[in-house]
Structures are given as structure tokens and as C-alpha cells.
Amino acid sequence: MDTPVRNDRFRAGFWTVLCALFTLAFLVIAVLRFTKGLGAVTNLSDRFPWGLWIGFDLLCGVGLAAGAFTVTACVHLFNLKAYEPIVRPTILTGFLGYVFVIVALLLDLGQPWNIWHAIIYWNHHSVMFEVAWCVMLYTTVLSIEFSPVVLERFGFHKVAHMIHKFITPLVIVGVCLSTLHQSSLGSVYLIVPSKLHPIWYTPMLPLLFFTSAVGAGLGMVVIESYLSGRAFGRHLEMDLLAPLGRVMVAVLSIYGLMRIQTIAHNGAFRDIIGLTYEGKMFILEFAIGVLAPVILLAIDKVRNNPTGLVTGAFLAVMGFVVNRLNVSVTGMERSAGIHYIPSAMEITVSIALVGIGMAIFALACRYLPIFPDAKGAKRSRRPASPSPDLVPAEEGR
Amino acid sequence: MTVGLLYDSTRCVGCHACSQACKEQNKLPGEVQDHTTAYTWTVVKEHEGAFVRQMCMHCLEPSCASVCPVGALHKTKEGPVVYDAKKCMGCRYCMLACPFEVPKYQWDRAVPVVGKCIMCYDRVKEGKATACAEACPTQATVFGERKELIMDARERMRANPSGYQDAIYGIKEVGGTGVLMLSGVPFASLGLKTGLPEEAPPMRTWQVLSKIPDFVAIWAASLYAIHWITKRRDDVAKAEGGE
Ligand code: SF4
Ligand code: SF4
Ligand code: SF4
């Protein structure tokens, strides 16, 4: 029998009420959007057709779910068994991330009821076509990877076991799909050489998007372990997470160097030194997303300290968000000739989606065997002979 | 055979007959606006006494068609780039991708579609000229085969070298366009986009997309190899450890 993690500190407090309010607002806006059109709720226009819902919900939602494929690859392909305890929460985060993206897309698409057209009308010259397929397939892979957790909860251990048999090919497919569409979100912008500002436009966009997603995805793993640790009174698994911080230093450094190199190649340093609008936004992005986390996490003392580690990870994630918004909004503004500022309703929808996602995550942690040991205080590695109650849990990878 | 339009700014008198004809031909509601919208597919703008038409350029390698995930926009063999509202899911990637900012959206509709000039494809298929070309009183807009239009344009420039800029807009921009333009003043001062790449933008994405099958094969195989190696190392260690 699996014991769902209990959270005794749960109260219908401030956050629950806030989340409920945002959900309500979300529903109202959704109704408005589908009766009055996109123009009524967003600040989008013919000059600025893609806004916050693409820049934040889609680009960041997918990117921050990158922890799932990184961690599953570590455990199942690189055989780093120590990371097993965090596989389930990261898969769940990944899955919720994609659901979040799909819901956001349903609002953003002009005719969401035609979304399935991507299945029957093929245009393999379109990056968006590839992204659509990867998101569909990868969401399926994530739900299969996650299904044992739900199956176990309801006692279908046989089925869970069967899924476990296919875990290696499943993880390989998942990693391939992730690699593809994480980078493809960068390729989306390859088509606008004359529109995207030279600080961000480069043929390297796919590689840059992939690398930064790995960095930020790992940051998310650290943050979510921290948050769930707090919520469920578990210790932060520093011996597991600190090495992730070290990997982040490596990934972000490589990413940072590539960025500098492409900007130099484009001759766009002028804008940065000249502190133009774009230059300032780049400095913000680079300082909080690359420089600060690399410096912080490179210091052993900071990295091995829970607060230091979480701060570094948080900065990397924030920098990642600013980067995606810079590519999708800041970098496009000059050619569009206008400033786009999302409407209050667009912002509300994005916040509501994040809130709902976090609420579902918290609920799932309470009622499903997400964390291997309920108390979690002493995480043991249980090498050769797992305790009986953990056998099904082992299969959930 | 690729058909197209030649627009000669020096002959244009700014009468807006083309915009009006387009509205009627394509049954677009409302009055002609001063900028293109989902309901006004072409407008004539005045820049210090010189006129310029704005409309879809019908690129030879259209960015809009290349990015559309469902192929709602496509380049016909005759040349016009047409739109199928029934396929469209409203992602608006075409709007982002078009180097000339042509596709427009019905922001005010609950069921919105994209609006842009389709070079009167139905008429073209029947061998007729476009409605705007037919309506033009001064032949500032003429319809024809792209090759012949280029020769026609060169002829006009040769006949009156001082009257024209020494270039045809649309010959090389983004890989060439089906709509060609002549002007007496620099193109930039007409508000036309200059400094556009000569290479068609779809090439840039295709360079990446076309490598995907190979990439996936190699990547998947390497991942499996890594898995095999690490697993074997583990097994060996276990056996040696006498577990
Ligand atoms: S001008 Fe824009 S809309 Fe027209 S064919 Fe070219 S890319 Fe497509
Ligand atoms: S908005 Fe419609 S036509 Fe434009 S790219 Fe998207 S699906 Fe294609
Ligand atoms: S070619 Fe036809 S659709 Fe295009 S602007 Fe002229 S009249 Fe309108």
C-alpha cells in the first residue's frame, strides 16, 4: 500500500483563495475571448500578432519543462540512479508544463477547434508543424511515463510493470522529441532575419534555445525540489541537487559564450554599449540569467548552501524567461514599430495558468505516490533490494 | 509560367480604383481603409507626392506559406499565393513570418480568418487579369507573365532613364516576388522595405529542418549506446562486487 504524502500544514489560506480568484477570472476571460474575439481581450494587433501567450506561455512553458527529459536521461540512459527520487516530480512538472502550453494555445489560436488540422494537413517545411507534432507526441510520452504513478495509486501494478518494460525506448523517444522541439522553438524565429533584432537573431537560435532550456530546466528541478521540500517538510536533497548546480554552471557558461560570439558576429555590441532599449533588455537578461547564476553556483560554498543554490537556480530561470520574452517581444518591437505591452487580461490568464499548474502539482503530491518516501527526511539509496513498498515506485520511471 | 503584377509608381494617380475593385471582387465588407486590414487587401499611400501600393508581394518562395503548419497558405503553380480559410487554425505565424507584413487578422471576430491579396486567383485561372489591374485607369498596375513584366519594366526604364530609379523592386528581395514595382523616387522614401536579404527566408529554416531525420537517427543511436555502456558498466561492477 502506498502512503500518499500528507501535508499537515495545508490550510485553505491566502494562496488557495488567490488561486480560486484567478481561476474564476481566467474562465471569464476565456468566455470573452471566444465571444468577442482576440482583439477584445489582448493587446495583439496586425502589427504585433504574437504576444505574451506565445512568448511566455508557449516558449517558457515548454522550456521550463525541459527538466523532465534531462532528469529521465540522467537516470535511465546515463544510469545515475541517485536521481531516481526526483524523476517523478520532474516528469509531473514536465507534463503539467505541456498541459499549460496546450491550454494557452487553445486560447491564443484564432480557431482552436482546428488544432487537430496539424494531424491531417502536413506542411513539413513548417517549424510550427514540427513543434506541433513534437508537443503532441511528447505530451503522450510524458503521460505514459507518468501513468505508473496513477496506476499504482489505484492498484494496477501489472500494467505499471508492463510500462516499465518499455522505459528505455520510451525515454529515448522522449529525449529525441525534446531535443527537437526545444531547439525548434528557436528555429521558429529563423524565418524573420529582417525583423528580429541582431542581438537575438542568429542561425544558431536552435542550438541556443536548446542549451538554455537545459540550463533553465535544471534550475526548475532545483526550485521544485525546494518548494515541495518546504511544503512537505522534507529536507532539500543537497547531495543530489548541488551537482546539478555544477552542471548548470557548465551549461550556462557554454550558452553565454555562444551568445557573446553570435552578438559579436552580428556587430550588435553597439546597441549594448549604447544602452538602447534592446541593449538594456539584453543586459538584464544576461546578467540575471547567465552571469549571476554562473558566478554564484561556481562558488562551492554558495552551491552547497540551500539558499545559495536555490537563488542561483531561480535567477537562471528568471533570466531564461526574460530571454524568451526578449526574443518574442523586445526583439520584434523595433521592426513592428510599436511597443507591445500585454493587456491586464493577457497577464491574468498567464498568472492563472501558472497558479492552476502549481495547485495541481500540490494536489498530485498529496494524493499520488510522487515522492518515494513520505517523510523524505532521510533519503536512502536502497540499492540492490528495494523495500517491498517501493517496488512499484521503482517502475514509475 | 509565373504570373505577377507590375506596379509603376510614376503612373499612379492615387485614385484608389484598385482598392475599390479589390473590395468588390473579393466581397470584402466595409469602406476602403487607409492601411491594409483583413478587410482591405490593398491600399495606395502617398509619400510626398509619390504614390505606392501596398499589397501581398506574392513572393516566389513565400515565407507565409513555408511557415503555415497546416498549409492553409500555398503558392499556386501559376504564381498567386492563396489562402484556404477552412484549413487555417489561426496561429498567425504567417503574419509574423511575412517580411512585408501582409497577412492581416480579423481581431474583432469570434471565428477569425486571415485576410490578404490572393491575386484574384479565380480570375487568373480563367485567364483574366486581376480586378485591380483591370480597374486601373492609367495602367500603373498591369497584370502579366512575370518574365514579360520584367522586360516591360526594363523597357520603360530605358525609354525614360531619368524618370525611374535604376532598379526594379521585387527582382531580388527575399528571393524575388511576383509583384514588381517601379518608382521615380528611392524605394525607401516610399516606405518600401529596403535592405531585405536576397536569399529567401524559408531557406534558413529548411537548412535546419531538412537535417532533422539524420539528426534523430544519430541522436537516438548515441543515446542507446550510452545507455548500453552505462548499464553494462553497472552490471560488471555488480558482478565483480560479488552481489
Ligand atoms: S508578401 Fe508576405 S503574404 Fe505575400 S507571399 Fe510574400 S510572405 Fe506571403
Ligand atoms: S494563421 Fe492560418 S494561414 Fe497563417 S500560418 Fe497559421 S494556420 Fe497558416
Ligand atoms: S490582385 Fe485581386 S486580390 Fe490582390 S489586390 Fe488586386 S484585386 Fe485585390
Side-chain angles (χ1 to χ4, degrees):
Chain A
M1 176 58 207
D2 36 54
T3 340
V5 180
R6 295 269 171 237
N7 174 11
D8 303 325
R9 304 188 329 179
F10 182 83
R11 302 152 277 152
F14 175 70
W15 292 107
T16 318
V17 174
L18 196 69
C19 194
L21 283 178
F22 268 104
T23 310
L24 200 69
F26 172 85
L27 293 174
V28 173
I29 296 168
V31 170
L32 269 179
R33 183 250 165 278
F34 284 113
T35 49
K36 299 261 181 324
L38 276 167
V41 297
T42 67
N43 277 349
L44 300 176
S45 64
D46 282 334
R47 303 187 89 169
F48 218 82
W50 280 8
L52 188 70
W53 292 350
I54 296 285
F56 178 74
D57 303 14
L58 176 76
L59 296 187
C60 296
V62 168
L64 297 180
F69 89 85
T70 336
V71 170
T72 48
C74 281
V75 171
H76 294 289
L77 303 182
F78 305 154
N79 218 12
L80 301 172
K81 290 272 188 286
Y83 286 92
E84 267 179 25
I86 55 171
V87 165
R88 289 182 166 197
T90 45
I91 290 183
L92 178 61
T93 321
F95 178 70
L96 289 176
Y98 281 88
V99 173
F100 168 97
V101 166
I102 293 169
V103 174
L105 265 183
L106 290 179
L107 280 187
D108 187 74
L109 287 180
Q111 301 205 40
W113 41 87
N114 286 347
I115 195 168
W116 57 277
H117 280 183
I119 302 174
I120 54 164
Y121 301 120
W122 287 28
N123 176 14
H124 62 275
H125 280 261
S126 166
V127 179
M128 193 60 88
F129 171 76
E130 189 221 315
V131 171
W133 270 90
C134 283
V135 169
M136 279 191 288
L137 293 175
Y138 189 56
T139 310
T140 315
V141 167
L142 278 172
S143 48
I144 299 175
E145 286 180 347
F146 188 68
S147 63
V149 179
V150 181
L151 291 170
E152 268 169 35
R153 176 73 180 82
F154 296 100
F156 297 104
H157 294 295
K158 276 227 181 70
V159 193
H161 195 78
M162 254 172 60
I163 291 171
H164 177 54
K165 286 238 156 35
F166 294 100
I167 196 71
T168 303
L170 200 62
V171 168
I172 292 182
V173 170
V175 172
C176 284
L177 288 170
S178 295
T179 320
L180 279 188
H181 70 273
Q182 293 293 354
S183 53
S184 293
L185 289 178
S187 314
V188 160
Y189 287 89
L190 288 179
I191 198 79
V192 287
S194 58
K195 290 185 173 184
L196 183 58
H197 192 279
I199 291 182
W200 293 281
Y201 187 88
T202 156
M204 303 259 285
L205 267 170
L207 191 58
L208 290 176
F209 263 55
F210 174 74
T211 321
S212 52
V214 173
L218 291 174
M220 278 300 281
V221 172
V222 172
I223 292 174
E224 111 213 343
S225 302
Y226 170 74
L227 285 181
S228 47
R230 264 182 50 146
F232 298 101
R234 307 164 80 237
H235 281 264
L236 201 54
E237 293 140 328
M238 286 308 288
D239 52 337
L240 272 190
L241 298 179
L244 291 186
R246 197 190 281 269
V247 178
M248 282 175 70
V249 172
V251 173
L252 291 178
S253 307
I254 295 171
Y255 167 74
L257 288 176
M258 288 196 294
R259 277 308 298 281
I260 299 288
Q261 191 266 332
T262 57
I263 292 172
H265 182 264
N266 286 351
F269 273 122
R270 272 171 293 134
D271 286 272
I272 299 168
I273 297 162
L275 289 182
T276 61
Y277 168 55
E278 287 89 355
K280 284 187 203 150
M281 290 305 286
F282 169 78
I283 293 173
L284 178 71
E285 161 198 330
F286 205 73
I288 64 173
V290 180
L291 295 180
V294 165
I295 295 171
L296 280 178
L297 297 175
I299 304 171
D300 286 343
K301 241 169 90 191
V302 177
R303 191 179 58 246
N304 290 314
N305 165 301
T307 318
L309 181 68
V310 171
T311 309
F314 183 73
L315 285 172
V317 169
M318 284 298 116
F320 171 90
V321 171
V322 179
N323 169 258
R324 296 306 193 252
L325 287 175
N326 275 348
V327 171
S328 57
V329 176
T330 316
M332 298 295 288
E333 284 184 320
R334 194 190 287 191
S335 63
I338 55 164
H339 259 305
Y340 158 82
I341 294 167
S343 72
M345 288 194 262
E346 286 175 270
I347 299 173
T348 307
V349 164
S350 296
I351 297 178
L353 283 173
V354 175
I356 296 169
M358 284 169 68
I360 297 177
F361 185 84
L363 283 178
C365 291
R366 276 159 59 81
Y367 296 110
L368 295 171
I370 306 285
F371 292 102
D373 39 2
K375 289 282 163 284
K378 319 177 286 327
R379 188 189 46 77
S380 55
R381 291 198 188 184
R382 304 171 203 266
S385 58
S387 63
D389 70 310
L390 229 97
V391 175
E394 292 268 330
E395 285 152 16
R397 315 165 206 155
Chain B
M1 186 192 88
T2 301
V3 295
L5 291 165
L6 173 63
Y7 170 76
D8 186 339
S9 167
T10 66
R11 291 194 187 183
C12 182
V13 291
C15 68
H16 304 284
C18 48
S19 309
Q20 199 55 51
C22 179
K23 279 248 175 200
E24 282 156 23
Q25 170 68 30
N26 298 291
K27 304 196 178 58
L28 302 173
E31 291 299 301
V32 173
Q33 304 287 303
D34 61 355
H35 55 278
T36 56
T37 68
Y39 312 103
T40 299
W41 291 351
T42 182
V43 294
V44 179
K45 290 210 166 171
E46 192 181 340
H47 291 266
E48 289 153 24
F51 295 100
V52 64
R53 259 190 86 184
Q54 282 182 354
M55 59 186 297
C56 173
M57 299 295 286
H58 297 278
C59 308
L60 300 186
E61 280 187 64
S63 300
C64 61
S66 108
V67 300
C68 179
V70 292
L73 287 158
H74 95 108
K75 177 97 184 158
T76 58
K77 62 179 192 309
E78 294 89 347
V81 175
V82 297
Y83 170 68
D84 181 351
K86 282 203 277 312
K87 285 186 180 173
C88 176
M89 55 187 196
C91 68
R92 311 186 297 284
Y93 193 12
C94 51
M95 304 178 66
L96 187 92
C98 170
F100 302 101
E101 271 128 48
V102 169
K104 303 290 175 192
Y105 212 52
Q106 297 176 334
W107 298 99
D108 53 341
R109 300 256 173 121
V111 183
V113 297
V114 171
K116 80 163 197 69
C117 156
I118 51 166
M119 213 197 271
C120 296
Y121 186 53
D122 287 338
R123 293 175 61 102
V124 167
K125 263 191 304 189
E126 289 168 18
K128 287 196 253 174
T130 64
C132 54
E134 204 170 79
C136 182
T138 60
Q139 289 201 313
T141 298
V142 290
F143 172 83
E145 213 177 306
R146 187 170 184 268
K147 272 202 210 98
E148 280 166 20
L149 293 176
I150 294 174
M151 289 196 299
D152 184 8
R154 294 231 165 92
E155 188 50 45
R156 292 189 201 183
M157 287 156 71
R158 193 162 33 237
N160 181 8
S162 60
Y164 288 101
Q165 292 293 304
D166 189 24
I168 305 171
Y169 191 83
I171 291 268
K172 57 183 175 53
E173 277 74 15
V174 293
T177 60
V179 172
L180 304 161
M181 296 197 179
L182 287 177
S183 165
V185 297
F187 296 126
S189 61
L190 285 179
L192 292 173
K193 300 215 169 192
T194 50
L196 289 174
E198 291 185 18
E199 177 200 58
M203 283 307 297
R204 300 181 184 234
T205 35
W206 186 239
Q207 272 164 7
V208 174
L209 280 174
S210 59
K211 293 199 183 79
I212 285 179
D214 290 343
F215 169 79
V216 170
I218 295 172
W219 190 216
S222 333
L223 288 171
Y224 187 76
I226 293 171
H227 167 74
W228 189 80
I229 293 169
T230 56
K231 187 160 182 299
R232 184 160 163 79
R233 201 192 285 151
D234 216 39
D235 293 347
V236 170
K238 262 192 203 136
E240 284 175 353
E243 270 191 51

